[in-house]
Amino acid sequence: MISQKERMERWRFQSPEEPGFHPVIVPDRAECTETRVYRLNLQRGETYELETKDLEMHPVLIQGHAIVSGPFDKELDMERFDACYAPGNETLFFRAIDDCIFYIAAAVDEGYGKPFFRKYDPTLPIGDIHQIHGEGAGRREVMFTLAPQDEASRLLCGLTWSGEGTWTSWPPHQHEKDLEEVYCYFDMPKPRFGFHVSYLDSGAVDEMVVHPVCSGTMVEVPAGYHPTVAAPGGVNAYLWVMGALRHSSRRYDLAIPDPAYDIKKGE
């Protein structure tokens, strides 16, 4: 039987840079059972047909410029950080205008979702889509790509940017009874890096596993607490993908903070 540390050490994956469609976090190679993440790399001028089959899928364009069509009224211009969603039994067609990297979230489709397209707009006021979480060294900016109010079966997704050299997901939290999660890092080319921390029990400092992360790194969170921190002079940037264990727990308010870091308790 493997130890807790050995278990958590298996949660880090480096996604492929080679052209094509690549499964990264999928049930036959990862511990997550409900949450899937793929990476699609297209070179300029290439096309790709993505069949959702029995999954809901949520592609987010991390790099490049593309045209997407399928279950929409027309072809849509897809630029950096734009996202779309398709439920099961649909087909998305991509044409790369420039070299492109897509991170694609997926989960079992249960018939709740409807196709949609979302433009990335950093000028949105703070509200349902554009949010600021935390404060001080834990302050971060969040932009939902698939929000709780969007119709979907299991998935919730968004983009997060830390401050320079600061923490995200702080204080540490877990939501293992309701949601799995995957952190998919980008815009952190080597030698830039950050750390993704995993631990299973409250305050278990001696049992923590620290994963170095950079562009293309994906870390699954099937259980436990999972804060991250950027190296000095850098910013942690990632797409987070939450897969609910059931449709009823497709919610963003189920995180349980680690009581070991309860500031009020320590006063």
Side-chain angles (χ1 to χ4, degrees), residues 77-228:
D77 192 54
M78 199 168 189
E79 299 176 297
R80 182 165 150 88
F81 302 142
D82 290 350
C84 59
Y85 170 87
N89 299 311
E90 296 283 1
T91 303
L92 295 167
F93 301 91
F94 297 101
R95 175 164 53 89
I97 305 303
D98 297 315
D99 291 352
C100 291
I101 298 173
F102 295 87
Y103 288 169
I104 303 172
V108 172
D109 179 67
E110 296 181 303
Y112 291 93
K114 294 182 180 179
F116 79 89
F117 181 86
R118 172 162 288 134
K119 293 294 293 182
Y120 170 71
D121 182 1
T123 68
L124 283 175
I126 302 302
D128 290 340
I129 300 300
H130 188 192
Q131 301 184 358
I132 300 295
H133 293 180
E135 55 188 32
R139 188 178 188 274
R140 63 271 193 191
E141 182 177 15
V142 175
M143 187 73 73
F144 276 98
T145 58
L146 180 54
Q149 63 270 28
D150 297 323
E151 295 182 77
S153 290
R154 299 285 190 95
L155 291 173
L156 288 169
C157 303
L159 301 163
T160 293
W161 293 267
S162 74
E164 184 177 311
T166 63
W167 291 84
T168 70
S169 297
W170 191 270
H173 68 270
Q174 57 90 357
H175 35 64
E176 59 192 41
K177 291 183 179 180
D178 298 292
L179 300 137
E180 300 172 332
E181 191 168 15
V182 179
Y183 284 54
C184 309
Y185 292 87
F186 62 85
D187 283 1
M188 299 169 63
K190 295 178 181 178
R192 284 184 54 189
F193 68 94
F195 291 122
H196 182 115
V197 181
S198 301
Y199 65 101
L200 298 176
D201 300 314
S202 174
V205 175
D206 293 337
E207 295 300 317
M208 289 179 176
V209 169
V210 179
H211 297 284
V213 295
C214 58
S215 292
T217 304
M218 298 185 181
V219 183
E220 64 173 329
V221 183
Y225 302 93
H226 42 279
T228 82

Side-chain angles (χ1 to χ4, degrees), residues 30-57:
E31 189 173 331
C32 284
T33 59
E34 305 300 330
T35 311
R36 298 157 175 82
V37 181
Y38 306 89
R39 175 169 169 166
L40 173 62
N41 303 319
L42 292 181
Q43 296 181 323
R44 181 178 181 180
E46 288 186 329
T47 61
Y48 191 81
E49 183 177 311
L50 180 65
E51 296 181 352
T52 62
K53 298 181 180 178
D54 61 345
L55 300 175
E56 58 177 354
M57 288 193 168

